Amino acid sequence: MQVAVSKPKKAHGTRWVQHKLDATKVLIKGYGVIVGHLENLVVISSRDQSKEQGILKKLKSFKFVAHMLYFKVLLEKVARLSLAWQRNSIELPAVMAALRNLNTELEELEEVEDSSTLTHPVLTSIMKDDGSAEYHGIELRDVPQGKAHFLKHKKDYITKIKAACGKRFENLTGLVFEGAKILDTRLWPSDMGELRVYGNEEIMSVASHFKDILPAEIDPDTLLSQWKELKDFIYHNMMSTAGSTPQDIWQKVHIHYAINYDQVNTVINILRVLPFSNSVVERCFSTMNKVKTDWRAHLGEKTLEGLMRVKTSGPAVPDFDSKRAVDEFFFMKARRPHVAPYGPNKKQKMSDS
């Protein structure tokens, strides 16, 4: 058939939406080749072909193809939100914006579902004028039953996605997560009067929520006063610097100005370390499995930690100064042939003599 296709991906057993989307795209792209391959197996195979025939029957049904195309549309929308949570430097305002965008897109799609039946984009892409259906040149079976099932349940999938997202992210509406938005200095108002009161309620709510772990010397009046003064200082001295991100600004405050703003810096640092996602932890487990393989099962804890830090936080290869590492390797202890960095070994000396 002269068509380049990828091997179908395993979609079950994983919770990453992007994996399921990739698997769906591979199936859509190679649908014709996969069906043709299974038809050829059924014809030429000498063993029992009941399994291949069952899979082939499902693949060639109108119900399967319609849902496959529709799920791709839905998964693309959910995958954008999923990817926002997987960034190393995750920012709560960006994630909240992605969540609101997903809800808006699903609501818009619901409106399309209410107003569209036989003109649904999925149906028009596979239906023919005579009432039959075809996809990638494959004639689809059970068209009336499949079409009726699709039109009946298509809106239910949107409702279930909205319910699942609402349950998964219901805690993001709490005071603590709302308070975390004040860390994004890009959202601060430019008017000094508005900036004066911006985030005051949120910073006090966070301090009240974590009062059991905050130092006893935290005073509400002092905390609010330091917060107002810190906003003014950041606005006039840091936000004008080109290329300064919110992470850079709060890092500088913590390193250089924590003494001046000790109480508000303590509360800000609590917000900075709140775990919004476990994607970084997942990557660490993946990195550990790549480093400590069956061939390196006896790596010590310190060595393993060092190798993992190099892989996760080390410099890029073009920026790595290998000379310094080589010097450190040769001079940290005596190494054979006891001449750093190079020299003839004992056997070579004896053969030369």
Side-chain angles (χ1 to χ4, degrees):
M1 300 179 69
Q2 302 300 319
V3 178
V5 295
S6 302
K7 180 181 178 182
K9 295 187 176 182
K10 178 182 177 182
H12 67 278
T14 177
R15 57 179 177 163
W16 296 116
V17 179
Q18 189 63 40
H19 291 177
K20 297 183 181 296
L21 176 59
D22 291 340
T24 305
K25 288 181 176 179
V26 169
L27 181 58
I28 290 175
K29 182 179 179 181
Y31 176 82
V33 176
I34 294 172
V35 171
H37 176 65
L38 288 173
E39 289 178 335
N40 187 55
L41 285 179
V42 171
V43 172
I44 66 175
S45 179
S46 58
R47 60 181 178 81
D48 181 26
Q49 304 98 11
S50 57
K51 183 177 181 180
E52 288 84 352
Q53 289 175 345
I55 297 174
L56 189 60
K57 182 178 179 181
K58 181 176 291 187
L59 286 174
K60 296 176 70 174
S61 68
F62 182 94
K63 175 183 173 182
F64 178 88
V65 174
H67 282 78
M68 175 180 67
L69 298 175
Y70 191 55
F71 286 164
K72 175 180 176 290
V73 175
L74 296 178
L75 287 172
E76 284 176 336
K77 299 181 183 303
V78 181
R80 286 194 288 270
L81 175 63
S82 178
L83 290 175
W85 281 97
Q86 297 176 38
R87 301 190 185 103
N88 284 330
S89 57
I90 184 173
E91 297 177 354
L92 184 62
V95 173
M96 294 296 291
L99 180 59
R100 289 191 295 268
N101 181 66
L102 174 62
N103 288 328
T104 302
E105 288 186 339
L106 291 177
E107 290 172 359
E108 293 173 349
L109 194 56
E110 272 187 320
E111 295 177 1
V112 173
E113 304 301 344
D114 289 334
S115 61
S116 176
T117 54
L118 296 178
T119 58
H120 194 282
V122 170
L123 297 183
T124 56
S125 65
I126 57 180
M127 291 292 297
K128 298 169 68 175
D129 295 336
D130 59 359
S132 60
E134 182 181 281
Y135 188 64
H136 283 212
I138 308 297
E139 192 76 19
L140 304 181
R141 51 184 292 275
D142 299 333
V143 176
Q145 300 91 325
K147 182 166 61 175
H149 186 278
F150 173 74
L151 292 175
K152 180 181 178 180
H153 295 283
K154 57 187 175 64
K155 191 175 178 180
D156 295 340
Y157 306 131
I158 300 177
T159 304
K160 291 180 179 180
I161 290 176
K162 291 176 64 176
C165 289
K167 183 178 180 180
R168 172 66 177 81
F169 302 112
E170 60 183 351
N171 293 329
L172 290 184
T173 58
L175 290 174
V176 175
F177 287 100
E178 289 292 327
K181 294 190 294 186
I182 64 177
L183 297 183
D184 194 345
T185 54
R186 297 167 298 188
L187 303 178
W188 286 12
S190 56
D191 180 76
M192 291 305 300
E194 296 179 2
L195 182 62
R196 181 74 178 171
V197 298
Y198 179 79
N200 293 355
E201 181 180 353
E202 287 81 357
I203 199 74
M204 299 306 294
S205 297
V206 173
S208 175
H209 182 84
F210 292 103
K211 61 182 179 181
D212 293 336
I213 64 173
L214 287 172
E217 58 269 18
I218 295 291
D219 175 66
D221 295 333
T222 304
L223 174 64
L224 184 59
S225 176
Q226 286 188 4
W227 169 242
K228 294 178 179 179
E229 184 179 340
L230 178 60
K231 287 186 293 182
D232 184 272
F233 177 80
I234 292 175
Y235 184 84
H236 288 95
N237 297 279
M238 294 185 177
M239 293 179 63
S240 59
T241 305
S244 292
T245 65
Q247 291 86 349
D248 296 333
I249 290 175
W250 293 116
Q251 185 71 9
K252 290 178 181 178
V253 169
H254 176 70
I255 295 176
H256 302 291
Y257 307 104
I259 297 178
N260 300 334
Y261 308 103
D262 56 336
Q263 295 194 17
V264 71
N265 181 64
T266 301
V267 178
I268 291 296
N269 283 339
I270 291 178
L271 290 176
R272 292 179 63 199
V273 299
L274 279 177
F276 297 122
S277 170
N278 66 343
S279 59
V280 175
V281 179
E282 296 279 359
R283 290 192 182 95
C284 286
F285 280 115
S286 177
T287 301
M288 182 181 69
N289 291 333
K290 292 177 181 177
V291 172
K292 194 171 183 178
T293 62
D294 294 340
W295 293 90
R296 308 177 76 184
H298 295 286
L299 283 175
E301 182 179 337
K302 186 176 181 180
T303 304
L304 178 61
E305 180 183 353
L307 292 173
M308 289 180 61
R309 287 186 179 276
V310 170
K311 279 188 169 291
T312 57
S313 307
V317 175
D319 302 329
F320 178 62
D321 182 11
S322 59
K323 184 179 184 304
R324 180 181 174 186
V326 171
D327 291 342
E328 179 75 16
F329 175 79
F330 276 113
F331 292 105
M332 63 188 303
K333 67 177 183 179
R335 299 185 182 277
R336 293 180 298 176
H338 306 299
V339 177
Y342 302 107
N345 55 37
K346 186 179 295 185
K347 291 184 178 179
Q348 185 177 354
K349 287 183 178 180
M350 293 177 62
S351 61
D352 293 340
S353 60

